[in-house]
Each structure stands twice: as structure tokens, then as C-alpha cells.
Amino acid sequence: MTLTTRTGPADRTGTAEPSGETAPWEGRPLTDHWDTVRALVRDAHPRQAGPAPGDGDPAGADPAGFAPDGELPALDGPLRGYLAAAGTRVTRLPDHRGVRWQLFDHCAAAGSRTAQPDTALLLVARAVQHTRRTGRRIALLAPSSGNLASTLRDALLRAHRYGLAHPDQVRVIALVPAAARHKVADSPLARHPELRRRNPLVVHHGAEPGAVHELAAAYCRAHARALRTGTGTALWYVRDPVEHRAAAALRAFVERDALGAAPAAGRVHAQTADTGSAALGHRAGSALAADGAADAAGPRPLLVQQPRTCGLALHLLTGSCSREGAPRYRYDAARRLHHQAAGSPDPHFPRTAHHPEEVVEPAFFTRAPGTAPEVSALLRAHGGTGIVVSRYECLARYPSLRALLAPAGVALPADPARLADWSLVMALTGALNAAERGLPAGPEVVVHRTAAHGAADRAPVPGALARYADSADELHAVLTGALDDRGRSR
């Protein structure tokens, strides 16, 4: 790749960009646009609020479907301190092939945390508001691939630190696949016996990582009512939260404040994707940030996926998430690599891979997301597309990516084996592949960083301090111990 002179992003006033390097733009979108976030979450939940314990139990009410109402707390000093864990930095990267490149680092204020904390902060804040309104306890059952689990646990500790909630009032039960336990950072929630009992990290040994969602759903169907009756705690099963879309909507405000108006051809926004919710949220936010102005040049999503879980790309190209629509590969025994079959290779898929269905980053485990039709419609309407990258392609570009990111203050480890999260490497590889293959063209590309990456950044929760559940009954035993304060500490 050819790298040219690097300059900083345009300032907020849209004045001419000075030559040479300027300081990155930094902001705190959650606190800067808190009223907008509150409105987005409130509007998304008008019919999702379920009855809290003690609020009455209408006939036919389903405790498995409980969700608190969509209210978030008003912004005050303690909440502002709590939200300070979220921030975004925008840095100009070197130009490539005549295209301007920008990095949106959504982990900028998170230090050595493992992932973008915005969604987790909103989820816990909403639970806090529920306890304030009702006086009742709430527990979040959060199946995830590890990143959300880690950020939720951090958000809960911040809620304790800033006095938003007592440890008895809000609890987090994180349910992760065994292959992702290393993504959940060690903290006082694991080390302190009472906090560990109340907020267990639960590890599941399923054949597929996505089985954590199946286990959570089965548990809620079988045990949610008994759990609520026995412990007086409302159980909130967190699944594809709209808080994620609300947080992603703020990317449009960052774009407006940091970069100004988009070029006439629009900006390409490259991001790794599992369900595509962030792209949907960003598009919704662009209409708000435009403040009634024409939005024809809004974000053009480039969704980057891996071979094992490329349902969004497949649905866009074939109308189905089935892998029957993926290109065929031939095996090169001498090099132990798979190559796309001879002829015209599909530019949306890897030319070369270690395996046609390999996993690059285990955080992405959704094979057939329910959002696929909505995401496909978004991409078609706004000039976006999807691209699939292999680990082979990521490794081939790795030295160049380290050089590209270093001036932006992002230090990839020299040894890729020490990379704990591949999402940023995937996003950059996908964006560069797309640019070189003539996929969504544009004068400017924005790459989103949503996860930190160093294996040494934070130690994981030790296995001895986790709990394990491979059935709904085993999970019930864990949750009963976590929510019944007559139980013993572990």
C-alpha cells in the first residue's frame, strides 16, 4: 500500500485544513448528546416494558419477556462521571490511492478496557433508573461473545463507584462461550466474594458459540417465573439491545462535529459486523444530526465479516444467509491454502483462506442474524456493501497495518499471536481490499475501532473464579445463588 503525508481532521467550523499534522478530534458523545440518547432509547421501548415484581402480575404476563421501561436517568454530576468511560477520538490516517482515511476510535476513553463501553453503560443506567422508579431489584442476564460481558461488568462497577446503585439493586449475570472466557477482564467482580456471588461469570460449553443465546432463552422459558417469585428480582434477558443502536446513532454526531459535511459522494464507513445493528443505528443518527437538511450523502456502510459468520454479506448478495450462496474454493495441498475457484473471483469474498469457513475473531458468532433483511435494504438504499476477509488476508497485511496505525496511537503487538481481538485488523483489511477491488468507491473512508486488542492489556477472569452451566437447570442453580441473598458467598 502507498502511504502519503498525514494531516489532521477538519475542525468543527469546517475551515480549510492546515498542512501537516494536527491534533486528533476528541469528544464524549454520550454526555454531549445525552438528551438525544434518552429520546432514542425511550422511543424504542414504548411496548417492551414488562411488569416489575410488585407492580402487579397481569394475567398472561410473561416474566421471561420482562424489560424495564425505556427511561434513562437525567444527567447530573455522578452520572456524568459514570459516563466518562465512553469517548471517541478521530484521527486522520495516511491517504491511500487518492482516498482520505480516518480512524474513529470508540475505545478512546476506555484505556485498557476490552471494547467500546457505550452500550453497556446505557444498559446499566437503564437498570439503575428502573430501581429508582420501582424500588425493586433487577438482574441482567447477558449472553455474549465476551466483549459485552466484560464492558457490562465494568459498567456495573462504575455504577457502584459513582453511587448510582447499591450492589444489592442491580446485578449482571454474564453468560459466555468457553472459547471467549479470555475476553472477560478480571476485576473486583471476580475477586470480591460477595460481588462474585451476586454477579457471576457463567461459562457455557456449547458446540456453537451462539448457543449461549439458546441457553438463555431456554432458561427464561423454564425458570423466569420461579426465579422472580423466589427472589423478588426481575430478570432482564438482554438480546440485541436497542441501546447498541442508540450508541451507534451518535457516530453521526461525531462525524458532523469532527469532519463536517460529507463529500457529495458520501463517506464509506468500514466496520466489523455481526448483526449490523451499529450500521442501522448510525443511519438513524445521521437523520438527526442532519437537523432536517438533505441527507443524500450520509454514511455508506461497508460491513466486514469473517467466513464462518458472513450472513449479512450473503443475504445482501443472494437474498439468503445460507452458505450455499458462498463461492467455491479449491484446496492447494502444497501450500495448505484454499483459493477461490478459477474464473471470475467474487470480490466480496477472500481470494485465499486457510479454510472456507474459518473464524478470524470469535466475538462474531451470529450465522443468520434476524436483522439481515433490514441491513440489506439499508445497504442497497445507500450505496453500501459487505465484504468477507480471511485470517490469511489479515496476516498478509498485518505489518502494513501496524505502520498505518502507529501514528494514530494504536499499537498493534508485533506478534499477531498476541492479538486478543481481531476486529480492527479485520475492518482495515476489509476496507483496503474493498478499495483495491473497486467495491464502494468514495473520496473518504472512515474505519471504526470498537474493541481494544492487546492480550496483555488486562488479565482475564481466572477459570477457578467462573461458574459453569451447560443446561437450563445448571444455570438456574447459578442464578438462584446469585439472587437469593440468603445464599452463601463463593
Side-chain angles (χ1 to χ4, degrees), residues 268 302 347 385 387 397 428-441:
V268 175
L302 173 64
T385 192
I387 191 167
R397 289 198 184 269
L428 274 167
T429 299
L432 290 165
N433 285 356
E436 293 168 7
R437 296 173 190 174
L439 292 180

Side-chain angles (χ1 to χ4, degrees), residues 127-128 130-132 135-140 156 160 163-171 198 233-234 485:
V128 165
H130 167 81
T131 65
R132 290 177 176 178
R136 306 288 179 172
R137 302 190 306 180
I138 185 171
L140 287 71
L156 184 61
H160 296 168
L164 302 184
H166 187 274
D168 280 343
Q169 295 174 308
V170 180
R171 309 186 188 197
R198 291 169 170 158
T233 302
D485 285 336

Side-chain angles (χ1 to χ4, degrees), residues 115-179:
Q116 178 184 2
D118 303 54
T119 299
L121 291 168
L122 293 179
L123 285 165
V124 172
R126 187 170 158 214
V128 165
Q129 185 64 12
H130 167 81
T131 65
R132 290 177 176 178
R133 181 183 68 82
T134 67
R136 306 288 179 172
R137 302 190 306 180
I138 185 171
L140 287 71
L141 175 58
S144 90
S145 59
N147 285 342
L148 178 62
S150 197
T151 53
L152 271 175
R153 288 163 65 85
D154 282 343
L156 184 61
L157 284 173
R158 291 186 71 83
H160 296 168
R161 186 179 310 136
Y162 286 93
L164 302 184
H166 187 274
D168 280 343
Q169 295 174 308
V170 180
R171 309 186 188 197
V172 170
I173 295 91
L175 178 61
V176 302

Side-chain angles (χ1 to χ4, degrees), residues 5 28 84 88 178 193 202 235 237 252 277 301 322 324 328 337 354 385 402 404 408 421 438 468 480:
T5 303
R28 298 192 182 277
T88 298
V202 188
L235 185 67
Y237 168 25
S277 291
S322 169
E324 290 299 314
R328 297 294 179 257
L337 293 171
H354 295 299
T385 192
R402 289 191 72 224
L404 175 68
D421 191 289
Y468 295 83
T480 300

